[in-house]
Amino acid sequence: SLAEATVLVVDRDGGSLTRAWCALELYFTQQTGRQLDIFTPAGQVGSSKVTSGPLVQAIEEWDVRRCEASQAADRRQIMNFLAGVEDEMQGLKQDGGNLVLLDGWRKQLDDVTLGKGTLRRSSGEKEWAYEE
């Protein structure tokens, strides 16, 4: 709550635009009304040096549904939250209302069926059926 702004650094590959955790941070930035400053290797987006180009276009076309997280269950929980799903734990493996953890810390997906649609995540993988 002490931060006045959020800084998003978009590298040459646009890696931060593929991360679900970055998407969640941007959501909270917007919800709290904080300033968002976006930088590319050429400088701050919107400055005289950075008004167009492939990274600016990637930012403009950014689609949160294509984002990834290192753990599929974290991605599902983030996407549930961003989509306004009442129970953000929906789709995660539970036993009696408690999350089932693998190795004592990793949440697990309840259903790992791949979807039949054409939507692909940034990794190129098909979307989970649950998230189509």
Short mmCIF file of all heavy atoms in Angstrom, two decimals, residues 72-102:
data_model
loop_
_atom_site.label_atom_id
_atom_site.label_comp_id
_atom_site.label_asym_id
_atom_site.label_seq_id
_atom_site.Cartn_x
_atom_site.Cartn_y
_atom_site.Cartn_z
N ALA A 72 0.57 -24.79 -13.11
CA ALA A 72 -0.74 -24.71 -13.78
C ALA A 72 -1.85 -24.34 -12.79
O ALA A 72 -2.77 -23.60 -13.13
CB ALA A 72 -1.05 -26.04 -14.47
N ALA A 73 -1.76 -24.83 -11.57
CA ALA A 73 -2.79 -24.53 -10.58
C ALA A 73 -2.76 -23.05 -10.18
O ALA A 73 -3.81 -22.45 -9.94
CB ALA A 73 -2.62 -25.42 -9.35
N ASP A 74 -1.58 -22.45 -10.12
CA ASP A 74 -1.49 -21.00 -9.84
C ASP A 74 -2.16 -20.22 -10.97
O ASP A 74 -2.89 -19.27 -10.72
CB ASP A 74 -0.04 -20.56 -9.70
CG ASP A 74 0.60 -21.01 -8.41
OD1 ASP A 74 -0.14 -21.37 -7.46
OD2 ASP A 74 1.84 -21.00 -8.33
N ARG A 75 -1.90 -20.64 -12.21
CA ARG A 75 -2.51 -19.96 -13.35
C ARG A 75 -4.03 -20.03 -13.26
O ARG A 75 -4.73 -19.05 -13.46
CB ARG A 75 -2.02 -20.58 -14.66
CG ARG A 75 -2.65 -19.92 -15.88
CD ARG A 75 -2.15 -20.59 -17.16
NE ARG A 75 -2.69 -19.91 -18.32
CZ ARG A 75 -3.83 -20.25 -18.92
NH1 ARG A 75 -4.56 -21.27 -18.46
NH2 ARG A 75 -4.26 -19.59 -19.97
N ARG A 76 -4.54 -21.22 -12.96
CA ARG A 76 -5.99 -21.38 -12.87
C ARG A 76 -6.57 -20.49 -11.78
O ARG A 76 -7.57 -19.83 -11.98
CB ARG A 76 -6.37 -22.84 -12.60
CG ARG A 76 -7.85 -22.97 -12.36
CD ARG A 76 -8.57 -24.15 -12.89
NE ARG A 76 -8.15 -24.68 -14.13
CZ ARG A 76 -8.19 -25.97 -14.42
NH1 ARG A 76 -8.64 -26.84 -13.54
NH2 ARG A 76 -7.80 -26.41 -15.59
N GLN A 77 -5.93 -20.44 -10.63
CA GLN A 77 -6.43 -19.62 -9.53
C GLN A 77 -6.40 -18.13 -9.90
O GLN A 77 -7.35 -17.39 -9.64
CB GLN A 77 -5.60 -19.86 -8.27
CG GLN A 77 -6.17 -19.18 -7.04
CD GLN A 77 -5.40 -19.52 -5.78
OE1 GLN A 77 -4.42 -20.26 -5.80
NE2 GLN A 77 -5.84 -18.96 -4.68
N ILE A 78 -5.33 -17.68 -10.56
CA ILE A 78 -5.23 -16.29 -10.99
C ILE A 78 -6.32 -15.98 -12.02
O ILE A 78 -7.00 -14.96 -11.93
CB ILE A 78 -3.83 -15.99 -11.56
CG1 ILE A 78 -2.79 -16.02 -10.43
CG2 ILE A 78 -3.81 -14.65 -12.30
CD1 ILE A 78 -1.36 -16.02 -10.91
N MET A 79 -6.49 -16.87 -12.99
CA MET A 79 -7.50 -16.64 -14.02
C MET A 79 -8.90 -16.63 -13.42
O MET A 79 -9.75 -15.82 -13.81
CB MET A 79 -7.40 -17.67 -15.15
CG MET A 79 -6.13 -17.59 -15.94
SD MET A 79 -5.93 -15.98 -16.71
CE MET A 79 -4.23 -16.07 -17.19
N ASN A 80 -9.16 -17.53 -12.47
CA ASN A 80 -10.45 -17.53 -11.78
C ASN A 80 -10.69 -16.18 -11.11
O ASN A 80 -11.76 -15.60 -11.20
CB ASN A 80 -10.52 -18.64 -10.73
CG ASN A 80 -10.79 -20.01 -11.30
OD1 ASN A 80 -11.15 -20.16 -12.46
ND2 ASN A 80 -10.60 -21.02 -10.49
N PHE A 81 -9.67 -15.70 -10.42
CA PHE A 81 -9.79 -14.42 -9.71
C PHE A 81 -10.06 -13.28 -10.69
O PHE A 81 -10.97 -12.48 -10.49
CB PHE A 81 -8.52 -14.14 -8.90
CG PHE A 81 -8.57 -12.85 -8.14
CD1 PHE A 81 -9.18 -12.79 -6.91
CD2 PHE A 81 -8.03 -11.70 -8.68
CE1 PHE A 81 -9.26 -11.59 -6.21
CE2 PHE A 81 -8.11 -10.49 -8.01
CZ PHE A 81 -8.71 -10.44 -6.77
N LEU A 82 -9.27 -13.21 -11.76
CA LEU A 82 -9.43 -12.13 -12.74
C LEU A 82 -10.78 -12.19 -13.44
O LEU A 82 -11.35 -11.15 -13.80
CB LEU A 82 -8.30 -12.17 -13.77
CG LEU A 82 -6.90 -11.87 -13.24
CD1 LEU A 82 -5.86 -12.04 -14.34
CD2 LEU A 82 -6.82 -10.48 -12.63
N ALA A 83 -11.31 -13.40 -13.63
CA ALA A 83 -12.60 -13.57 -14.30
C ALA A 83 -13.77 -13.34 -13.35
O ALA A 83 -14.92 -13.37 -13.77
CB ALA A 83 -12.69 -14.95 -14.93
N GLY A 84 -13.48 -13.15 -12.07
CA GLY A 84 -14.55 -12.92 -11.11
C GLY A 84 -15.29 -14.18 -10.69
O GLY A 84 -16.42 -14.10 -10.22
N VAL A 85 -14.64 -15.34 -10.84
CA VAL A 85 -15.26 -16.59 -10.39
C VAL A 85 -15.41 -16.51 -8.87
O VAL A 85 -14.45 -16.18 -8.17
CB VAL A 85 -14.39 -17.81 -10.81
CG1 VAL A 85 -14.94 -19.09 -10.22
CG2 VAL A 85 -14.31 -17.89 -12.33
N GLU A 86 -16.60 -16.79 -8.39
CA GLU A 86 -16.90 -16.62 -6.97
C GLU A 86 -15.93 -17.41 -6.09
O GLU A 86 -15.46 -16.92 -5.08
CB GLU A 86 -18.34 -17.05 -6.69
CG GLU A 86 -18.87 -16.47 -5.41
CD GLU A 86 -20.36 -16.63 -5.30
OE1 GLU A 86 -21.09 -16.24 -6.22
OE2 GLU A 86 -20.79 -17.18 -4.26
N ASP A 87 -15.65 -18.64 -6.46
CA ASP A 87 -14.71 -19.46 -5.71
C ASP A 87 -13.45 -19.61 -6.54
O ASP A 87 -13.37 -20.42 -7.44
CB ASP A 87 -15.33 -20.84 -5.42
CG ASP A 87 -14.37 -21.79 -4.72
OD1 ASP A 87 -13.30 -21.33 -4.25
OD2 ASP A 87 -14.69 -22.98 -4.64
N GLU A 88 -12.43 -18.79 -6.22
CA GLU A 88 -11.22 -18.81 -7.04
C GLU A 88 -10.48 -20.15 -6.97
O GLU A 88 -9.63 -20.43 -7.80
CB GLU A 88 -10.28 -17.66 -6.69
CG GLU A 88 -9.60 -17.80 -5.36
CD GLU A 88 -8.74 -16.61 -5.00
OE1 GLU A 88 -9.27 -15.49 -4.92
OE2 GLU A 88 -7.54 -16.81 -4.81
N MET A 89 -10.84 -21.00 -6.01
CA MET A 89 -10.22 -22.33 -5.89
C MET A 89 -10.92 -23.35 -6.80
O MET A 89 -10.50 -24.49 -6.88
CB MET A 89 -10.26 -22.82 -4.45
CG MET A 89 -9.49 -21.96 -3.49
SD MET A 89 -7.75 -21.89 -3.89
CE MET A 89 -7.14 -20.92 -2.56
N GLN A 90 -11.99 -22.93 -7.48
CA GLN A 90 -12.71 -23.83 -8.37
C GLN A 90 -11.75 -24.37 -9.42
O GLN A 90 -10.97 -23.64 -10.00
CB GLN A 90 -13.85 -23.07 -9.05
CG GLN A 90 -14.74 -23.92 -9.90
CD GLN A 90 -15.90 -23.11 -10.44
OE1 GLN A 90 -16.31 -22.11 -9.87
NE2 GLN A 90 -16.43 -23.54 -11.56
N GLY A 91 -11.81 -25.67 -9.64
CA GLY A 91 -10.93 -26.30 -10.62
C GLY A 91 -9.63 -26.82 -10.03
O GLY A 91 -8.82 -27.42 -10.72
N LEU A 92 -9.43 -26.57 -8.72
CA LEU A 92 -8.26 -27.10 -8.05
C LEU A 92 -8.68 -28.32 -7.24
O LEU A 92 -9.78 -28.39 -6.70
CB LEU A 92 -7.63 -26.06 -7.13
CG LEU A 92 -7.18 -24.76 -7.80
CD1 LEU A 92 -6.57 -23.82 -6.77
CD2 LEU A 92 -6.21 -25.02 -8.93
N LYS A 93 -7.79 -29.29 -7.14
CA LYS A 93 -8.09 -30.54 -6.44
C LYS A 93 -8.23 -30.24 -4.95
O LYS A 93 -7.34 -29.67 -4.32
CB LYS A 93 -6.98 -31.56 -6.68
CG LYS A 93 -7.35 -32.96 -6.24
CD LYS A 93 -6.29 -33.96 -6.61
CE LYS A 93 -6.47 -34.30 -8.08
NZ LYS A 93 -5.64 -35.45 -8.49
N GLN A 94 -9.40 -30.67 -4.41
CA GLN A 94 -9.69 -30.44 -3.00
C GLN A 94 -10.19 -31.73 -2.36
O GLN A 94 -10.73 -32.61 -3.02
CB GLN A 94 -10.74 -29.35 -2.84
CG GLN A 94 -10.30 -28.02 -3.39
CD GLN A 94 -11.33 -26.93 -3.18
OE1 GLN A 94 -11.93 -26.84 -2.12
NE2 GLN A 94 -11.52 -26.10 -4.18
N ASP A 95 -10.01 -31.80 -1.06
CA ASP A 95 -10.52 -32.93 -0.28
C ASP A 95 -11.17 -32.34 0.96
O ASP A 95 -10.49 -31.78 1.82
CB ASP A 95 -9.38 -33.87 0.11
CG ASP A 95 -9.85 -35.07 0.90
OD1 ASP A 95 -11.05 -35.40 0.86
OD2 ASP A 95 -9.00 -35.70 1.58
N GLY A 96 -12.49 -32.40 1.00
CA GLY A 96 -13.22 -31.86 2.15
C GLY A 96 -13.04 -30.36 2.31
O GLY A 96 -13.00 -29.85 3.42
N GLY A 97 -12.89 -29.65 1.20
CA GLY A 97 -12.73 -28.20 1.25
C GLY A 97 -11.29 -27.74 1.41
O GLY A 97 -11.02 -26.54 1.39
N ASN A 98 -10.37 -28.68 1.60
CA ASN A 98 -8.96 -28.33 1.73
C ASN A 98 -8.22 -28.67 0.44
O ASN A 98 -8.49 -29.72 -0.17
CB ASN A 98 -8.31 -29.10 2.89
CG ASN A 98 -8.93 -28.72 4.21
OD1 ASN A 98 -9.12 -27.56 4.51
ND2 ASN A 98 -9.25 -29.72 5.01
N LEU A 99 -7.30 -27.82 0.05
CA LEU A 99 -6.51 -28.09 -1.15
C LEU A 99 -5.65 -29.33 -0.95
O LEU A 99 -5.08 -29.54 0.11
CB LEU A 99 -5.60 -26.91 -1.48
CG LEU A 99 -6.28 -25.66 -2.00
CD1 LEU A 99 -5.25 -24.53 -2.14
CD2 LEU A 99 -6.96 -25.92 -3.33
N VAL A 100 -5.58 -30.15 -1.99
CA VAL A 100 -4.70 -31.31 -1.98
C VAL A 100 -3.36 -30.84 -2.52
O VAL A 100 -3.28 -30.32 -3.64
CB VAL A 100 -5.26 -32.45 -2.86
CG1 VAL A 100 -4.28 -33.60 -2.94
CG2 VAL A 100 -6.61 -32.92 -2.33
N LEU A 101 -2.31 -30.97 -1.73
CA LEU A 101 -0.99 -30.46 -2.11
C LEU A 101 -0.05 -31.60 -2.48
O LEU A 101 -0.05 -32.65 -1.84
CB LEU A 101 -0.39 -29.64 -0.97
CG LEU A 101 -1.23 -28.46 -0.48
CD1 LEU A 101 -0.56 -27.80 0.71
CD2 LEU A 101 -1.46 -27.46 -1.60
N LEU A 102 0.74 -31.37 -3.51
CA LEU A 102 1.75 -32.32 -3.94
C LEU A 102 3.08 -31.85 -3.39
O LEU A 102 3.40 -30.65 -3.46
CB LEU A 102 1.78 -32.36 -5.48
CG LEU A 102 2.70 -33.36 -6.13
CD1 LEU A 102 2.27 -34.79 -5.79
CD2 LEU A 102 2.68 -33.17 -7.64
#
